[in-house]
Amino acid sequence: SSLVAKGVTVTGQVLQSPYTRLITPAHSWHYVWAQRLASMGYSRWTVALLTGNRQNLETADWALLRVTGTAHLFSISGMHVGVVALWTSLFAGIFVAILLLARRRNYNGFNIQPQVLSIALIVSGGYATLANWQVPVSRAWICFGILSVLWLSGRYWTWLQRYLVMVASCILLFPFSVFGTSFYLSAGAVALLILLTWRFKPPGTSWLGRFKYVCKLQFTLSLVLVPVTAVFFNSMSLLVAPVNLIAIPWITMIVPVGLAGLVVAALTGTPNVMLDITDEALTALVAMLNGVQPFMLSYEKLPFSPGSMICGFLALILVALPCFAYRWRCCLTLTLPLFSHLVPPSSRDWHLHIFDVGQGNAMLISKGAQGVLIDTGPSYETSDAYTRIIKPALTQLGIDKIDRIMVTHGDDDHAGGLFSAKVDRLNTHGLAPVVMTNTDACTQGNDFNWQGLDFHILWPARLNHVDGNGYSCVFTVTDGVHTTLFPGDINKSVEYELLYNNAYLKSDVLVAPHHGSNTSSSDAFIYAVAPAYTVFSTGYYHRWRLPHRDVVARYQQYGMQMVNTSRMGYTRFSFNNKEIVTYAQGAGINQRWYDSRWYRPSAVIDNH
């Protein structure tokens, strides 16, 4: 607490180790019942549905749920709270009516709503406790409470009034939720339901009419949410609606049986038939999802931009609205941006793309629909930066062909995604792009021209066989007017070597050596390069705390503009004969909601 009072903040990470273990387990219902169900031999699907604990779900499980559009069924949310409240209200109403009959009361004149709603609130609150009161669950329970109060007070509010009060309450109680996608997806889904129920009036009392009405709502809602899913998750499945028409009623029938089984297990301490039925039903549901997964018409890594998908979403909203003048013309106009990715990028200018891969390097030189990839970022436990970041970005940028991959040196933060890049970019003959590393072709003198751009390789010496920071491939890219310099992770001694050999280092854009470490960026090197822009490719709150303060001060001394990917994210420099146009994804967005004079993390360096 004394360090916090002084404004000193630190970060750390827990390393995987066989000696790492949980000393004191949590005593919440969420943790205890997740462990009990697992120890009783019930599947991870049962644990996820009844307790909200999804830690045992595997990567393949999440892929299945994502493709089939059923991930929301195994993440306890407002739908589950509503299901519990619905079933509780039904059984509570029957129970109260039986009590009234037993006491020979005339229940036709007795208002049982207060008792039923109170029981429903208590039981759904218990279910929310099982889910550890996660924010979506808490929001749903609070909204249910607001509706109950309105119902009991006899006040009438329109759906718009109820919706606005609920959204305002959620923002007030959970202000940080506005920074996540869950809030907007939940609020947007409710708004769409209100719109659709206004547009399509409920039928009469016949069961067939109600079934058709529910199918129409589910189909329309799933169709309208397709572009929303594409914007948030960069993937979509066209057959989500029919799958959910089966899966949602399935879950609706399973939840009360499973919760009743939990109550019996709490009283007896042993497995029971109801939990067995729940487990078998979920196993059957998952088997069905596995069976339909290949036929879902699922598309990932979509080429559409977020703006075009939003236009598609608005077009679908207009289709759902009542007829008005020029409606179809407006819809056609809004769908045109969806085809913008078919227009090939202009080859007049060339671009330098700096990807935000955390503590590591991943860059791209592009011209038209072709590119040269420079470093591939770090690898992760189950993936790498190329698969997670670079590959989707190439699709969005319209880059169809990678002609070369240049790896400055073999450290993981520069070459961790090399294998994935080579496999992903195999041509029709099974050949990968030309790969140049600092121990073969990416060595001094092996210059080449690509798309009118000259690549001059300055270091290391030809026939180099030593890998490491000091032997990083150093090269420039120039169009004769503008130049960029890529020095890898070289240290000051190599900088002096380059200066001693009279290497031409003058550049407009410099990717800071070694991510801004104080082992590099000497005064003489900075003076010789004299860049207009310096880019630090660093990780946000990374333990190395780069760029170093002294390095930043040296660049500031020369009045250069500095860009830090940990703060600006993806950054692009566009070059033409007249000027350099810059774009940073994080510039102007996600500004601090607090006054920076009150709280300034010591790991974040102000580069302005």
Side-chain angles (χ1 to χ4, degrees), residues 3-9 541 592-602:
L3 293 177
V4 174
K6 296 177 182 177
V8 178
T9 57
Y541 275 161
R592 295 188 183 96
W593 59 268
Y594 53 83
D595 192 326
S596 60
R597 294 174 298 177
W598 299 347
Y599 174 70
R600 180 184 295 272
S602 57

Side-chain angles (χ1 to χ4, degrees), residues 186-210:
S186 300
V190 173
L192 279 175
L193 280 174
I194 294 174
L195 173 66
L196 294 177
T197 51
W198 166 79
R199 175 66 180 90
F200 305 112
K201 299 301 180 183
T205 57
S206 69
W207 286 100
L208 180 60
R210 291 180 179 180

Side-chain angles (χ1 to χ4, degrees), residues 3-52:
L3 293 177
V4 174
K6 296 177 182 177
V8 178
T9 57
V10 295
T11 60
Q13 61 182 150
V14 178
L15 300 176
Q16 285 190 344
S17 168
Y19 304 103
T20 303
R21 60 188 178 88
L22 187 63
I23 298 176
T24 305
H27 298 289
S28 65
W29 286 8
H30 175 73
Y31 178 83
V32 169
W33 276 106
Q35 297 300 312
R36 286 185 183 179
L37 288 173
S39 64
M40 291 177 183
Y42 293 111
S43 69
R44 58 189 181 277
W45 302 102
T46 300
V47 174
L49 179 65
L50 297 183
T51 69

Side-chain angles (χ1 to χ4, degrees), residues 11 22 55 101 104 131 154 167 230 278 343 391 407 411-412 485:
T11 60
L22 187 63
Q55 293 181 348
L101 285 174
R104 301 174 183 262
V167 170
T278 301
V343 180
K391 182 179 178 180
V407 179
D411 284 1
D412 183 78
L485 174 59

Side-chain angles (χ1 to χ4, degrees), residues 389-407:
I389 301 170
I390 302 173
K391 182 179 178 180
L394 295 178
T395 302
Q396 291 290 337
L397 295 170
I399 306 300
D400 299 327
K401 184 181 180 184
I402 297 296
D403 294 319
R404 293 175 184 256
I405 301 176
M406 303 180 67
V407 179

Side-chain angles (χ1 to χ4, degrees), residues 156-325:
Y156 176 79
W157 285 3
T158 65
W159 277 109
L160 180 60
Q161 290 174 319
R162 300 176 193 178
Y163 178 75
L164 292 177
V165 169
M166 290 176 184
V167 170
S169 301
C170 292
I171 294 176
L172 181 64
L173 295 172
F174 310 103
F176 290 105
S177 65
V178 300
F179 295 105
T181 59
S182 172
F183 171 77
Y184 298 99
L185 291 174
S186 300
V190 173
L192 279 175
L193 280 174
I194 294 174
L195 173 66
L196 294 177
T197 51
W198 166 79
R199 175 66 180 90
F200 305 112
K201 299 301 180 183
T205 57
S206 69
W207 286 100
L208 180 60
R210 291 180 179 180
F211 177 75
K212 291 181 178 179
Y213 178 68
V214 170
C215 291
K216 180 188 292 186
L217 283 182
Q218 180 62 49
F219 176 80
T220 307
L221 183 64
S222 299
L223 181 63
V224 173
L225 287 178
V226 164
V228 177
T229 305
V231 169
F232 282 101
F233 304 108
N234 199 27
S235 64
M236 64 180 183
S237 298
L238 300 182
L239 298 181
V240 168
V243 171
N244 275 275
L245 280 175
I246 299 173
I248 291 178
W250 201 316
I251 293 295
T252 303
M253 300 300 293
I254 291 173
V255 166
V257 178
L259 291 180
L262 276 182
V263 173
V264 173
L267 297 174
T268 63
T270 58
N272 54 75
V273 175
M274 286 177 285
L275 286 177
D276 294 339
I277 293 174
T278 301
D279 201 55
E280 290 295 332
L282 289 177
T283 302
L285 175 61
V286 173
M288 185 272 290
L289 296 178
N290 277 305
V292 302
Q293 182 180 9
F295 310 101
M296 287 299 299
L297 298 179
S298 178
Y299 302 92
E300 297 190 7
K301 313 303 180 187
L302 301 172
F304 308 109
S305 66
S308 66
M309 294 306 298
I310 291 173
C311 289
F313 170 75
L314 294 176
L316 291 173
I317 291 294
L318 292 182
V319 171
L321 291 177
C323 294
F324 59 89

Side-chain angles (χ1 to χ4, degrees), residues 320-357:
L321 291 177
C323 294
F324 59 89
Y326 304 110
R327 180 176 69 161
W328 292 110
R329 295 183 184 181
C330 292
C331 292
L332 178 61
T333 303
L334 288 170
T335 56
L336 290 178
L338 292 172
F339 302 95
S340 60
H341 68 281
L342 300 177
V343 180
S346 171
S347 58
R348 181 186 61 182
D349 302 335
W350 62 285
H351 312 274
L352 166 61
H353 309 267
I354 313 288
F355 300 111
D356 180 14
V357 294

